Amino acid sequence: GRKTASSSVGSTDCCLSRIMSQWKAMRDRSAECNRAVLVSVAQFDHGVSLGRRPGAERDTKRLHRTLSKLGFKVDIHNDLSSDEMYTLFETESRRPVKDCFLAVLSSHGEEGCVYGADGKPVRLSHVFSLFDNAHMEKKTKLFFIQACRGGDLDDGVEVDSAEGDATEDSITQYMSVPIDTAVMYATAPGYGAFMHPLGAVFLQTLCTLLEEEGGQNLELTRLMTRLSHRVAYTFEAKGRVLGGKKEMPCFLTRLTREVFPFAEPRKDTDGLSATSLVGTKNVKNRIPSIS
C-alpha cells in the first residue's frame, strides 16, 4: 500500500511539472510574437439606443486574416461591455509581447470615448494610460479607432476649429498617450466616421494597403500618410442625405523613432527585427532637411 501511495504522489508531481512546463512554453512563445487585439461592438444590449453596426464583423474577419499573415497573434473580442473593455486592456497591457502591440477599437463613439455594448462610454485616455508601464516600455503601441468623434459631417473643406469640449478632450487624449505609441483615428475631432455593410472604409483601406506589394515594408508614418490620402481622396458617401460627404483620418503620434511594425525581419537590419525601434545610430548618415 505504501508503494502505491508513493507512486501516486510521484505521478501527481510529474503531472504538475508537465503543466508548468507547458504554461512556461506558451508564455515564452507569446513573448516571441507581436500581438493584436481586435475589439468590435456590432450589436448593443437590449434597451441601448445605439444602432447595430453592419459591416463590423466583416472588418474583424479581414483584419484577422491580414494581420495573421504579417506574423501577429490576433485575438478577437466581440460586443464587450465598457467594464469588460477596461479589464481586457488592463490585462493586455501586462502580457508579454515581442516588439509591437496593436489594438483596434470599433464601435459607436464621441470625442474621447467609444461605447461598450452596454451603452456606457470607454474613455480612450484611460485605455492609453494603461500601457504606460514597465511591461510595455520600449515596445511599439498602435491603436486604430473606428468610431465617430462627434456628429459633424465633412464636406471636404477645411474648418477653422472644432468645438471647445472636443478640443479639451483631444488634449486629454494626447497627454495620456505613452511614449512610443501612435493612435490613428478614422476621423478628425468632432466628425462622424462612416460604416458600411461591406465594412468601414478606414479599416478596409488599412487592410488593402498592408496587402499591396510593398505596403507592409513602409515605415509607419508613411503608411499612415498613405492611409489618410486614400481615404480622403477616394471615398465619398452616397445617398440623398450623406451624398458627397468625405472622411479624413487623423494621426496622433508620440513615436520617438522610426518603426516598421508590419515588415518581415531582414538580414541587413544589424540584428534588429523590422518591428524594432530604429535609433539614431541607424540613420546617422541621413542629411537633415526641411520639406
Side-chain angles (χ1 to χ4, degrees):
R2 184 179 303 168
K3 183 177 180 181
T4 302
S6 176
S7 175
S8 177
V9 172
S11 176
T12 301
D13 290 342
C14 181
C15 182
L16 289 173
S17 176
R18 185 166 62 251
I19 292 174
M20 291 299 295
S21 297
Q22 291 173 347
W23 178 83
K24 185 176 184 300
M26 290 176 60
R27 184 188 64 183
D28 292 341
R29 284 196 298 270
S30 178
E32 292 173 357
C33 65
N34 296 317
R35 295 191 293 107
V37 174
L38 312 181
V39 179
S40 176
V41 182
Q43 183 68 50
F44 291 83
D45 295 346
H46 179 72
V48 175
S49 59
L50 292 171
R52 188 176 181 277
R53 302 176 63 246
E57 295 177 358
R58 187 180 292 267
D59 288 336
T60 301
K61 289 180 180 179
R62 188 175 182 190
L63 283 164
H64 183 279
R65 182 173 65 252
T66 301
L67 293 173
S68 295
K69 288 181 179 179
L70 296 175
F72 282 78
K73 182 183 182 300
V74 185
D75 292 325
I76 298 174
H77 301 270
N78 292 316
D79 300 341
L80 299 183
S81 69
S82 56
D83 286 342
E84 287 172 336
M85 284 194 200
Y86 284 133
T87 300
L88 170 67
F89 284 111
E90 186 170 4
T91 300
E92 292 294 334
S93 70
R94 286 165 172 74
R95 289 184 60 199
V97 64
K98 183 181 180 183
D99 297 303
C100 179
F101 172 82
L102 184 153
V104 176
L105 287 84
S106 177
S107 182
H108 286 303
E110 294 286 344
E111 177 58 18
C113 74
V114 298
Y115 290 106
D118 55 358
K120 296 180 179 179
V122 176
R123 292 292 167 187
L124 294 174
S125 57
H126 186 175
V127 173
F128 300 153
S129 65
L130 292 172
F131 291 81
D132 190 8
N133 62 51
H135 299 278
M136 287 289 170
E137 187 177 3
K138 297 183 180 179
K139 307 295 184 182
T140 301
K141 285 83 66 180
L142 305 179
F143 294 87
F144 292 87
I145 313 298
Q146 171 59 45
C148 292
R149 304 179 70 184
D152 290 343
L153 296 174
D154 194 339
D155 292 312
V157 297
E158 294 184 7
V159 296
D160 293 328
S161 64
E163 295 181 5
D165 290 342
T167 302
E168 183 177 350
D169 284 343
S170 296
I171 294 173
T172 301
Q173 287 178 73
Y174 179 82
M175 296 304 295
S176 67
V177 174
I179 295 296
D180 297 325
T181 302
V183 184
M184 189 64 164
Y185 297 90
T187 190
Y191 285 88
F194 289 92
M195 172 61 76
H196 190 274
L198 296 179
V201 60
F202 172 66
L203 296 178
Q204 292 290 325
T205 303
L206 170 64
C207 291
T208 297
L209 287 171
L210 291 174
E211 293 163 1
E212 289 179 355
E213 183 177 357
Q216 68 186 69
N217 294 321
L218 290 174
E219 195 276 328
L220 182 67
T221 55
R222 293 189 64 188
L223 178 64
M224 295 301 98
T225 300
R226 292 193 184 190
L227 176 57
S228 294
H229 180 274
R230 190 165 298 187
V231 172
Y233 284 95
T234 64
F235 169 75
E236 185 174 296
K238 301 183 184 302
R240 282 192 299 176
V241 178
L242 301 177
K245 302 299 182 182
K246 307 286 287 184
E247 181 171 313
M248 179 65 200
C250 182
F251 187 45
L252 187 162
T253 175
R254 296 199 73 193
L255 297 176
T256 58
R257 289 163 281 184
E258 294 179 321
V259 292
F260 300 80
F262 307 105
E264 294 182 1
R266 298 180 302 180
K267 294 181 179 180
D268 58 352
T269 54
D270 297 328
L272 290 174
S273 76
T275 50
S276 296
L277 297 174
V278 179
T280 53
K281 67 179 183 179
N282 299 91
V283 294
K284 61 184 179 181
N285 296 325
R286 184 175 296 173
I287 300 175
S289 64
I290 298 176
S291 60

